Amino acid sequence: MRTPRRRTLAAALLAGKGLDAVSTVVVLALSDSVRESVPLSRALMAAFGPVGGMAILTVLTMVVVGLLAESGVVIDRMTEGGTPEWYVPGLRATVYLGCAGWFGLVGLWNLSHLL
């Protein structure tokens, strides 16, 4: 079985987080009855505006998730190759795709507030 490449996984994450970011900005702009519940998002949007704040948060998300996904390489090196062959690519795919799915669902949830 072929494992997904890093670029493909990062693109999936960017798509999920992008949907979350765009839906957050759109919903906040169109509806006065909702507010951003995440303190970091609120702080970034207050400091840099809605679009700038969400762009910064998206970049931060990409970096943090990327570091977590690539932590399997560090673990493999610490155990001197003692992890199973599937461990590093499996952890990478699970973290990237799990986070992409989560952010995609949050984005859809945000958009449901407009219905």
Side-chain angles (χ1 to χ4, degrees):
M1 182 168 147
R2 186 180 163 157
T3 58
R5 293 177 174 237
R6 285 182 178 104
R7 260 184 275 185
T8 305
L9 294 169
L13 175 63
L14 185 58
K17 183 59 184 164
L19 177 61
D20 174 34
V22 168
S23 67
T24 298
V25 171
V26 168
V27 168
L28 291 174
L30 296 178
S31 179
D32 294 331
S33 64
V34 294
R35 70 177 191 89
E36 176 57 44
S37 61
V38 179
L40 178 60
S41 299
R42 278 198 316 264
L44 288 171
M45 287 191 296
F48 301 102
V51 175
M54 292 312 305
I56 291 169
L57 187 60
T58 299
V59 170
L60 285 172
T61 300
M62 295 294 292
V63 169
V64 170
V65 171
L67 289 172
L68 180 61
E70 297 302 323
S71 67
V73 174
V74 175
I75 293 168
D76 189 52
R77 288 184 184 156
M78 286 173 51
T79 61
E80 298 173 4
T83 61
E85 185 177 305
W86 53 265
Y87 178 77
V88 173
L91 177 67
R92 182 181 296 131
T94 300
V95 170
Y96 273 116
L97 295 177
C99 290
W102 171 254
F103 287 123
L105 287 173
V106 169
L108 292 175
W109 174 257
N110 289 343
L111 291 174
S112 75
H113 285 75
L114 297 177
L115 300 177

